[in-house]
Amino acid sequence: MNYFEMNLEYIKNYNVHLYNKLEKLDINANSNKLDSIESVDTKDGNKAVYISFNSVTYRLNSIYRPIEEAKKWAEQFKFTNINTIVTMFGFGNGIFAKALLENMGEKDVLLIYEPCYEIFLHVLHNYDLSGLLMSKKVFLFIEGINDVDFHQALNQILDITNLKTQIQSIYPNYDNIFKESFYKFYDNLKESITTVRVNLNTTIHFGQRYIENNLKNLQYLNNSSSLFDLKEAITTEVPAIVVAAGPSVQDNIEELKRAKGHAVIFAVDRVLDYLLNSGLEPDFVVTIDPKKDLKYFTERTDVTIPLLCYMESNQDILNIHKGKKIICTNGGFIDNLYIQEKKTPPFLIPSGSVAIVAYSACIKLGFKRVILVGQDLAYHGNKTHVGYVIDKNNTSDKEQMNVMTEGIDGNPVKSRYDWKEFIIRYQDLIGLNKDVEVIDAKERGARIKGAIVMPLKEVVDKYCTGDFDRDAVLKNLKTTFTSEEIQDMKEYLKSNLDIIENIQEKAKKAMKDCDTLLKTSKGCVLSKKDKDMIKRLSKSNKYIESQKIYSLMDAFITAKSVQQLSDIYQFTDDISENNKNTYEKSKFIYQAILEAADYIYPRLENAISYF
Amino acid sequence: MEALIKKIDESINMINKTTDLFYQEKISEGYNALNVTLSMINTIAGLLYEQQEEEYRDYFSKLNVILKEAMDALEMKDLIMLADIFQYELKELFEDLHKYLKQKK
């Protein structure tokens, strides 16, 4: 077997996603085309890569001792922390990545972005990459092959515990050679870091409310349907229209009325009353925000339009809504309720934008054409939402929240930092769902790459030609749980009260152990008693984190102990100091766990009484 | 001779420091260290030139050849090549010279 066959085999066995994409590769789509590439022997018997790009020749390794060069380069990065995320722009022939990998800890992760497919192909043919391709710590992204996954992977891996300790590295000179790709890579990195920070702030903001809503809304599982039930009942022969609350909705209201009955109209909560006041009833309404003010849903008390929601959506909205609830989940405890009754949880990737969640729901339901209305994602003068609501917050003090972004006509438009996040998220989702046509039906506002810009009149003329009867869908819509299953669920919820009591016990004991360890373990050498205590703490951690109810507590705990969590894996060279810091932080986090358990218990009891 | 041995020791340390900086792409610091290193090398070259024995002349010639290669690399802004020449040619020469001088003592 030659290197190429061997390396492909490793990719097939350890990274099947990349392997599948390699098979479908269009080599002409490669944006960084080289003039030439070759590997030459170095003085110590290894190989160095030479490339010619844009008529300039570059040597990518030392011609003397490339492995020593890489080791020296890697020494500048310190790996004293745990769970470190390392990003690297440039794979080259893998020697520098290998040098990093040798210094990395067990739980560290290396994400490598190679901007030039030809280099990767050359290296696949000429180098043994087993050490990297077989490593569970290494994730490879090649531009033109799976580069869209880089942003997604970062968003999944980055969290509060590793945000501060991440290491960013660049293969020597790669940033000069592949400048444009480097800017794109760096933008991706910045965006992901911003997304994690925004999500973290959201978690902190919603900590307690998240628990309250989830538990209070449990009562609505009875008689609810899930997104999967809706998928079985709904037709996707007509397009889906997602109506957000941007100012441009006003310009499109008549066309939306024309589309009614010929498309499936999903309205975000904020635009509901505007549509109803304009004489248009959407087919579905979507709400996600745990704390959304009722006035941003409706002032009416008789809304029966089916409501797509999460269990953590605002309980006040679910309470005032009188129609069918169509449940989506996003993991954790609520998913487990479905699994307990042998149902597939109706998982729908969450987002900070209700319109994006509505769009994701359309994808999940199987629509192949989704039309976005009211997704301005830019200011229209000082207006942010339909109904000409002036954004009172947009004073000069808040100018720092504003950013410029590309408009649909190619000129810059004024947007907001959170809207810009949404634009990026749309672009990611559009990139991941290439079989779905997305039409952005607006005549002004921010550009969403991947979406076709088309006036709504043209869209309705061309695509809204079939028929859709929402009431017929509702007639055929199944209820997810039978009454027996609801009773089963009640028993399961009761058993979780015992689990919470166990968690309270363990958290209290863990805090006492931390206090003891702080007093007794002064040096680097631990006594047998100390070691037993640490083992007990580890067991307690495993128990607590493995309980499904823990996912409900997570936001609360994060909110209470964000500082401790963000530092928990940071270490110095002083072992004694590290131990002291770990026990102090751990004690704080156990306190937060105890408070979360104390908070949940009575609310779970109350929720059970609704069944 | 003592002065020469001492200068060689200092130079080897500076070579290590300079090459590490270039390998780690710390260019500005690398250039600063390079200035100091070149100054030391200059001193060593001067001390070698003053000696009468054939062996010293030999080292002097070899030093010049290596320095020329290094300066070519510097002119091409190939700092990795420069670092390699310093690390694997120049340092080797100095270590050899150091050994020779110790034996002569």
Side-chain angles (χ1 to χ4, degrees):
Chain A
M1 235 190 205
N2 58 37
Y3 281 140
F4 184 68
E5 285 163 357
M6 214 168 62
N7 287 328
L8 271 190
E9 198 61 28
Y10 295 137
I11 295 174
K12 190 175 172 188
N13 291 332
Y14 292 91
N15 194 342
V16 68
H17 188 66
L18 175 60
Y19 181 79
N20 290 338
K21 290 212 169 178
L22 277 172
E23 285 202 307
K24 295 180 201 158
L25 174 73
D26 171 15
I27 194 164
N28 294 317
N30 180 27
S31 54
N32 290 311
K33 283 193 176 19
L34 302 176
D35 306 320
S36 69
I37 180 167
E38 63 168 341
S39 282
V40 302
D41 291 336
T42 60
K43 291 185 195 254
D44 66 345
N46 284 297
K47 286 192 186 295
V49 176
Y50 276 83
I51 62 168
S52 174
F53 181 60
N54 291 340
S55 306
V56 179
T57 301
Y58 301 96
R59 196 188 64 250
L60 300 185
N61 306 94
S62 159
I63 200 69
Y64 279 73
R65 298 189 196 177
I67 294 177
E68 288 303 312
E69 177 203 11
K71 279 189 178 149
K72 282 263 153 65
W73 171 85
E75 275 169 16
Q76 63 184 300
F77 304 108
K78 303 296 169 209
F79 290 94
T80 49
N81 303 318
I82 294 175
N83 189 28
T84 304
I85 307 301
V86 186
T87 49
M88 183 172 185
F89 180 72
F91 180 76
N93 59 5
I95 284 180
F96 285 86
K98 246 192 216 163
L100 275 178
L101 197 59
E102 272 159 25
N103 296 346
M104 283 166 53
E106 225 179 87
K107 296 200 175 164
D108 299 337
V109 163
L110 175 59
L111 285 83
I112 310 173
Y113 184 100
E114 171 54 56
C116 179
Y117 167 71
E118 283 179 79
I119 292 177
F120 185 61
L121 188 61
H122 171 84
V123 165
L124 281 180
H125 279 280
N126 292 286
Y127 294 79
D128 176 2
L129 300 176
S130 54
L132 290 167
L133 296 176
M134 294 202 312
S135 171
K136 287 187 181 146
K137 293 190 255 186
V138 177
F139 297 85
L140 260 179
F141 305 91
I142 318 294
E143 193 164 307
I145 301 179
N146 64 340
D147 54 308
V148 294
D149 298 338
F150 176 67
H151 189 69
Q152 292 296 315
L154 261 181
N155 286 353
Q156 280 178 15
I157 289 173
L158 277 177
D159 64 33
I160 185 177
T161 62
N162 57 33
L163 194 58
K164 276 192 197 174
T165 58
Q166 51 173 322
I167 290 173
Q168 293 157 14
S169 66
I170 303 169
Y171 190 110
N173 213 20
Y174 249 67
D175 50 340
N176 291 323
I177 302 170
F178 302 109
K179 280 195 175 84
E180 274 191 41
S181 294
F182 175 66
Y183 295 144
K184 187 174 142 188
F185 163 85
Y186 192 64
D187 276 344
N188 264 323
L189 201 50
K190 269 195 317 183
E191 281 156 15
S192 290
I193 291 168
T194 304
T195 299
V196 171
R197 286 208 174 108
V198 165
N199 288 345
L200 178 60
N201 290 340
T202 307
T203 301
I204 292 166
H205 183 61
F206 290 136
Q208 288 181 354
R209 187 71 179 176
Y210 181 86
I211 294 176
E212 282 173 17
N213 286 340
N214 265 293
L215 294 177
K216 211 56 189 291
N217 291 336
L218 282 176
Q219 60 183 301
Y220 301 114
L221 285 177
N222 202 4
N223 294 322
S224 70
S225 301
S226 75
L227 195 63
F228 289 144
D229 297 324
L230 181 60
K231 186 179 162 93
E232 280 179 26
I234 203 167
T235 178
T236 55
E237 296 291 317
V238 295
I241 299 180
V242 173
V243 186
S248 65
V249 172
Q250 187 178 12
D251 305 333
N252 284 317
I253 196 72
E254 294 307 318
E255 292 303 328
L256 280 170
K257 285 179 186 174
R258 260 203 329 130
K260 172 78 180 176
H262 306 289
V264 184
I265 301 177
F266 294 85
V268 305
D269 43 17
R270 180 105 186 228
V271 80
L272 176 63
D273 268 357
Y274 180 82
L275 295 179
L276 291 174
N277 292 344
S278 304
L280 171 68
E281 181 181 304
D283 299 305
F284 299 92
V285 184
V286 187
T287 188
I288 61 170
D289 193 330
K291 268 186 177 174
K292 181 147 249 164
D293 203 311
L294 260 185
K295 76 177 185 216
Y296 294 133
F297 174 60
T298 187
E299 286 175 344
R300 293 166 163 80
T301 55
D302 59 348
V303 172
T304 57
I305 301 166
L307 181 71
L308 266 72
C309 58
Y310 288 102
M311 293 307 285
E312 65 258 28
S313 302
N314 188 352
Q315 56 182 284
D316 297 331
I317 288 180
L318 269 69
N319 184 42
I320 206 170
H321 172 258
K322 300 294 178 241
K324 185 73 164 176
K325 281 135 179 85
I326 297 170
I327 309 291
C328 310
T329 66
N330 66 9
F333 186 67
I334 303 300
D335 268 26
N336 199 54
L337 295 180
Y338 283 79
I339 294 169
Q340 284 290 313
E341 302 309 320
K342 298 190 182 17
K343 315 251 179 224
T344 309
F347 180 82
L348 187 65
I349 295 177
S351 168
S353 157
V354 57
I356 291 177
V357 168
Y359 165 79
S360 298
C362 293
I363 306 292
K364 207 83 184 224
L365 290 168
F367 286 96
K368 293 302 173 196
R369 183 172 285 117
V370 180
I371 299 150
L372 306 177
V373 174
Q375 278 292 255
D376 300 43
L377 297 167
Y379 288 99
H380 179 55
N382 272 349
K383 294 153 197 157
T384 60
H385 293 84
V386 70
Y388 292 105
V389 171
I390 305 293
D391 181 11
K392 290 193 172 64
N393 289 328
N394 193 21
T395 64
S396 56
D397 294 339
K398 300 283 181 183
E399 273 300 312
Q400 65 197 328
M401 284 173 58
N402 295 334
V403 296
M404 299 305 285
T405 191
E406 189 189 349
I408 54 170
D409 58 0
N411 293 321
V413 292
K414 190 161 94 168
S415 181
R416 250 172 34 188
Y417 83 91
D418 53 338
W419 295 342
K420 184 111 194 259
E421 278 293 301
F422 300 155
I423 293 167
I424 293 161
R425 184 69 185 132
Y426 262 126
Q427 286 167 179
D428 282 348
L429 288 171
I430 291 170
L432 286 171
N433 296 284
K434 289 197 162 81
D435 58 331
V436 176
E437 185 179 76
V438 179
I439 299 173
D440 196 1
K442 64 191 182 211
E443 292 180 40
R444 58 173 181 267
R447 180 164 168 235
I448 301 172
K449 284 181 198 151
I452 301 163
V453 176
M454 195 187 285
L456 187 59
K457 182 181 183 317
E458 205 178 310
V459 174
V460 175
D461 286 341
K462 207 168 165 184
Y463 299 118
C464 299
T465 53
D467 291 321
F468 175 70
D469 180 350
R470 195 269 316 274
D471 292 337
V473 168
L474 289 183
K475 271 204 187 99
N476 290 328
L477 186 57
K478 274 184 354 208
T479 299
T480 309
F481 300 107
T482 63
S483 46
E484 288 82 18
E485 286 165 342
I486 290 292
Q487 285 311 305
D488 257 352
M489 206 182 287
K490 186 175 177 177
E491 292 310 310
Y492 173 72
L493 289 172
K494 277 184 186 166
S495 72
N496 273 275
L497 289 172
D498 295 332
I499 291 172
I500 293 173
E501 281 171 6
N502 283 343
I503 290 175
Q504 285 165 322
E505 270 308 304
K506 287 188 189 296
K508 282 177 192 160
K509 233 183 219 149
M511 282 165 65
K512 278 200 183 112
D513 283 345
C514 286
D515 275 335
T516 308
L517 283 165
L518 276 164
K519 284 188 197 122
T520 60
S521 70
K522 296 281 180 201
C524 307
V525 179
L526 297 167
S527 68
K528 185 176 177 313
K529 201 174 167 200
D530 289 346
K531 285 182 187 169
D532 287 343
M533 240 180 286
I534 290 170
K535 267 192 200 144
R536 197 161 56 227
L537 283 172
S538 179
K539 259 179 110 175
S540 294
N541 287 346
K542 280 199 177 96
Y543 173 83
I544 293 171
E545 285 170 9
S546 67
Q547 301 311 312
K548 298 295 178 196
I549 196 102
Y550 180 78
S551 63
L552 214 51
M553 298 161 60
D554 201 18
F556 186 107
I557 294 164
T558 303
K560 286 272 174 185
S561 57
V562 59
Q563 183 57 49
Q564 287 69 24
L565 283 169
S566 67
D567 294 340
I568 191 90
Y569 290 133
Q570 285 185 51
F571 297 95
T572 66
D573 291 328
D574 184 336
I575 296 177
S576 178
E577 191 62 26
N578 288 340
N579 288 341
K580 178 172 169 274
N581 287 338
T582 301
Y583 303 141
E584 278 172 352
K585 284 172 197 164
S586 299
K587 186 181 165 188
F588 202 98
I589 293 168
Y590 286 124
Q591 174 68 39
I593 290 172
L594 184 60
E595 286 177 32
D598 290 345
Y599 191 83
I600 282 195
Y601 194 97
R603 284 161 180 81
L604 181 57
E605 271 188 318
N606 199 35
I608 291 167
S609 71
Y610 283 114
F611 276 72
Chain B
M1 197 181 293
E2 278 304 320
L4 187 52
I5 291 174
K6 193 174 171 211
K7 215 64 193 175
I8 288 167
D9 280 339
E10 285 172 6
S11 294
I12 288 173
N13 284 339
M14 271 317 290
I15 286 169
N16 285 334
K17 187 175 172 185
T18 306
T19 56
D20 279 357
L21 288 167
F22 283 136
Y23 286 134
Q24 292 175 7
E25 294 193 290
K26 293 171 182 167
I27 308 301
S28 175
E29 291 169 70
Y31 273 124
N32 289 339
L34 180 64
N35 279 339
V36 175
T37 311
L38 286 175
S39 168
M40 287 178 179
I41 293 170
N42 203 34
T43 304
I44 291 170
L47 288 169
L48 283 174
Y49 189 74
E50 282 167 8
Q51 306 304 316
Q52 302 300 318
E53 287 99 328
E54 184 81 32
E55 289 83 359
Y56 289 106
R57 295 294 168 126
D58 206 27
Y59 279 113
F60 180 78
S61 299
K62 283 177 183 165
L63 177 60
N64 273 336
V65 168
I66 292 169
L67 279 179
K68 169 131 192 355
E69 282 178 18
M71 292 307 108
D72 285 345
L74 185 60
E75 209 176 294
M76 297 290 292
K77 292 202 170 71
D78 190 342
L79 298 176
I80 299 298
M81 181 67 88
L82 171 67
D84 282 342
I85 292 168
F86 268 48
Q87 186 67 223
Y88 303 117
E89 310 266 8
L90 183 59
K91 195 169 126 182
E92 201 177 283
L93 180 73
F94 280 173
E95 280 166 349
D96 202 43
L97 176 57
H98 189 272
K99 207 166 142 190
Y100 170 74
L101 291 170
K102 284 271 190 193
Q103 278 170 357
K104 274 209 88 168
K105 261 175 83 173

